[in-house]
Amino acid sequence: MRKLKQQIIDRYPKFAGHAIGEYPFRTIETTPGAGEIKGHIPPVLYQTWETNLIGKTHFEARERFRALNPEFEFRFFDAAARDQYMDENYSGHLIRDIYHRGKFGPLKVDIWRYCWIYKKGGIYFDINKCLKQPIRQQLPLEATAWISFETTLGELFPPQKAVSWMQHPHNLLANWAFGFAAGHPVLAKTIELICAYYPMFANQTFAQPKNAIVKFTGPVMLTLAWH
């Protein structure tokens, strides 16, 4: 039933918006920030969606999140802007080809967020996610990486030397929200691993594509790169 509901929303967004009380859709725009944070991770928060129109619930939640973090510039990219960035900045790189060959939006967004933050630095958040506390209260100025963990247990074992300083060594890293300084080696390795494991996923049919995406470009791959 949930899958059918999502298919209806994707195919008939205006009809679905009326039906579930989310219409009229609101326009997302890039908004400047005060820029008062001078750490290694730039005070810029990046988000993306297929278009610049979202339902009022997500829009209002994003506005509250933005008001809670006035120091941050909130930058938004739609699918066309993501495509343009990958073409202009990763031409000739296998990761660009993997991105364009992707059949599912979440897979392409995973790749884009790694590639963008690796080049630019900053913080990424899924459009439907936020924090109830200001980011500045949780982001040390000296930090070059800002990560969180999924609530579910992962199947990967971290290196034994890392267990003592990992807060949740049994859990996967979350990729719906993270921050890195530009050029961080974890993101470089994530991109490298996606390219290395691509032959295992190319031209394959999966009964549950979501699980394959989580493994190939999602939290599993980000966690593997961190290890």
Side-chain angles (χ1 to χ4, degrees):
M1 180 63 69
R2 181 179 299 178
K3 183 178 180 180
L4 177 60
K5 178 181 177 181
Q6 188 60 50
Q7 288 176 341
I8 294 174
I9 293 174
D10 293 340
R11 190 168 183 179
Y12 307 105
K14 289 187 177 181
F15 168 77
H18 279 295
I20 62 178
E22 293 294 327
Y23 196 78
F25 294 140
R26 310 293 180 86
T27 302
I28 310 174
E29 297 179 350
T30 291
T31 55
E36 298 173 353
I37 300 176
K38 303 296 182 182
H40 294 293
I41 299 175
V44 186
L45 190 147
Y46 299 98
Q47 295 178 301
T48 186
W49 193 245
E50 293 307 293
T51 71
N52 67 341
L53 298 175
I54 61 174
K56 65 180 184 180
T57 298
H58 285 162
F59 180 84
E60 292 170 357
R62 183 178 183 269
E63 288 297 290
R64 291 192 296 270
F65 188 36
R66 190 167 63 85
L68 194 63
N69 296 279
E71 306 89 351
F72 283 81
E73 176 184 356
F74 274 60
R75 293 193 63 182
F76 175 80
F77 291 79
D78 61 15
R82 295 196 310 262
D83 292 350
Q84 181 179 354
Y85 174 77
M86 294 300 296
D87 289 341
E88 292 178 352
N89 292 272
Y90 287 88
S91 177
H93 196 300
L94 178 58
I95 197 67
R96 172 200 175 270
D97 297 334
I98 298 173
Y99 171 87
H100 281 297
R101 292 171 187 169
K103 302 296 184 182
F104 299 93
L107 181 148
K108 300 179 75 171
V109 172
D110 281 345
I111 293 174
W112 170 82
R113 74 186 72 173
Y114 302 141
C115 290
W116 179 275
I117 300 295
Y118 175 70
K119 292 274 191 179
K120 305 292 186 178
I123 291 177
Y124 171 86
F125 262 83
D126 279 354
I127 198 70
N128 62 340
K129 299 292 194 300
C130 64
L131 294 180
K132 294 182 179 180
Q133 295 179 340
I135 294 173
R136 64 182 178 273
Q137 294 182 2
Q138 305 181 34
L139 181 60
L141 294 180
E142 67 274 14
T144 59
W146 184 64
I147 60 171
S148 59
F149 295 85
E150 297 286 355
T151 57
T152 54
L153 297 182
E155 298 178 355
L156 297 176
F157 284 93
Q160 288 186 329
K161 63 181 180 181
V163 171
S164 62
W165 55 262
M166 292 187 71
Q167 187 174 6
H168 302 286
H170 293 289
N171 298 51
L172 294 175
L173 293 185
N175 79 332
W176 56 265
F178 58 69
F180 288 96
H184 199 284
V186 166
L187 293 181
K189 189 175 180 181
T190 303
I191 296 169
E192 176 186 327
L193 287 172
I194 291 172
C195 292
Y197 281 99
Y198 174 63
M200 290 182 58
F201 293 86
N203 303 314
Q204 300 294 316
T205 299
F206 296 91
Q208 296 180 314
K210 179 181 178 180
N211 292 343
I213 294 171
V214 168
K215 186 175 182 179
F216 180 38
T217 62
V220 171
M221 194 62 79
L222 181 62
T223 304
L224 185 62
W226 186 267
H227 292 174

